[in-house]
Amino acid sequence: MKKIAALVLLGVFSQQVFSFSEVQEKGFLRVAVYKNYAPFSYREKGKLKGVEVELGKLLAAKLGVDPLIWAIGADENMEDDLRNTVWKGHYLGGGTADVMLHVPVNKEFAEENDRVIIDNAYFKEEIVAVRHNTLASTPIIKLFGDYKIGVELDTLPDFFLVGAQSGRFRENVIHYMAVELAIKALIAGEVRSVVAPRSQIESALSGARDEYLFSDVTMPRGYQSTWVVGMAVKQGRNELMKKLSTALQEIKESGELSALFKKHSTSYIKPN
């Protein structure tokens, strides 16, 4: 029995050590980021850019290896993304990432997805409503009730506004395929407000951000208007996660992380 227990412990230890030594041996860290997701990861003139693209490069440098940034498409839900990207791989192939960024750091969610380790929170996101400064005196509820509201299709703001107050605002909700398109409509005067994650709104407004007012959106229980994001690695790769944690802490303390958000015209909100 002791011999079996020793072999089990040795197997667990070897798996944890190998999880980082594998990265060292191959000489690169494969980092998964969501594609077409400004300001975090997007293409500009064919080049992959964004907060998390650059964060992935900084993490790899801290680990002493090269970065290999892998832009992935979002599936139907985060559980599918974790399966396809981190712990199993897509049935069409493509392999898995060493670490995936922009994963919700939530105890209940982590327990439900026990094939991965979720940790290393680095940013807090929040849903806000944005309107031009000329409408600053108009209460949010009146704004939603009297004017068109832009939202990205099939997102939390969409579901909330279509059903809020027994559908009071439903006829005013205008759907767009991306937050960037909703912001273009806002600037053009086609809608009077946009409800979306603050980071995406700020990125889309860029230099015009000071012309617009941001307001919190109060949502009923069952809707999550704020959340924290971090990283995910495959279960058993504890040593790799520890190395990433140390690297992230150094990046935070040096001011490099907040500088990345500033570079991409986005407010850096520290996780709680």
Side-chain angles (χ1 to χ4, degrees):
M1 182 62 70
K2 289 183 179 180
K3 184 176 181 180
I4 294 174
L7 287 172
V8 170
L9 288 173
L10 179 60
V12 172
F13 178 75
S14 298
Q15 183 183 29
Q16 292 180 3
V17 173
F18 182 70
S19 71
F20 179 60
S21 65
E22 178 189 19
V23 171
Q24 290 179 307
E25 288 171 7
K26 65 186 182 181
F28 63 84
L29 180 74
R30 194 180 198 198
V31 183
V33 298
Y34 283 107
K35 64 181 179 181
N36 303 324
Y37 193 35
F40 300 100
S41 52
Y42 58 97
R43 289 194 180 276
E44 188 175 272
K45 296 180 179 179
K47 184 178 181 181
L48 196 58
K49 303 177 68 175
V51 172
E52 291 175 339
V53 172
E54 295 187 49
L55 175 58
K57 293 177 180 179
L58 289 174
L59 290 168
K62 292 289 183 182
L63 269 56
V65 296
D66 293 329
L68 180 59
I69 309 301
W70 180 26
I72 64 168
D75 211 314
E76 292 187 4
N77 54 54
M78 178 60 71
E79 289 82 355
D80 289 344
D81 294 339
L82 290 171
R83 181 191 66 241
N84 295 336
T85 308
V86 181
W87 64 266
K88 185 177 182 180
H90 200 281
Y91 69 90
L92 292 177
T96 56
D98 294 307
V99 58
M100 178 178 173
L101 302 184
H102 218 90
V103 178
V105 179
N106 175 285
K107 183 179 179 181
E108 182 177 338
F109 179 75
E111 290 175 349
E112 292 172 352
N113 292 273
D114 57 2
R115 291 178 180 268
V116 298
I117 303 171
I118 300 174
D119 202 355
N120 295 348
Y122 56 82
F123 176 63
K124 180 181 178 181
E125 185 63 275
E126 59 184 13
I127 299 294
V128 297
V130 63
R131 61 191 186 276
H132 195 269
N133 288 335
T134 55
L135 292 170
S137 62
T138 305
I140 285 291
I141 296 299
K142 180 173 176 56
L143 190 71
F144 290 169
D146 295 348
Y147 302 102
K148 299 298 183 183
I149 318 158
V151 298
E152 182 177 0
L153 181 67
D154 290 339
T155 59
L156 176 62
D158 178 14
F159 302 144
F160 166 65
L161 287 168
V162 167
Q165 298 194 15
S166 301
R168 175 183 171 186
F169 313 125
R170 183 179 294 119
E171 296 303 315
N172 283 342
V173 175
I174 306 299
H175 295 102
Y176 296 90
M177 294 307 295
V179 173
E180 292 91 337
L181 297 177
I183 292 298
K184 285 182 179 179
L186 176 68
I187 295 172
E190 296 169 9
V191 297
R192 292 300 183 93
S193 64
V194 170
V195 180
R198 175 186 287 272
S199 61
Q200 292 181 268
I201 292 175
E202 290 183 340
S203 175
L205 285 172
S206 189
R209 183 172 57 176
D210 292 342
E211 299 176 25
Y212 292 83
L213 176 67
F214 292 75
S215 302
D216 293 336
V217 177
T218 302
M219 295 186 179
R221 184 172 298 178
Y223 288 90
Q224 191 172 2
S225 59
T226 67
W227 61 94
V228 172
V229 298
M231 313 175 189
V233 302
K234 186 175 181 178
Q235 187 62 253
R237 306 192 77 178
N238 306 63
E239 186 65 18
L240 174 59
M241 185 61 96
K242 289 179 183 178
K243 295 287 185 180
L244 290 168
S245 179
T246 299
L248 178 63
Q249 189 59 35
E250 292 175 359
I251 293 168
K252 287 180 178 179
E253 292 176 354
S254 69
E256 291 173 285
L257 183 58
S258 58
L260 287 181
F261 281 87
K262 184 177 181 180
K263 177 180 177 180
H264 292 278
S265 305
T266 305
S267 300
Y268 173 55
I269 306 176
K270 294 181 179 180
N272 296 333

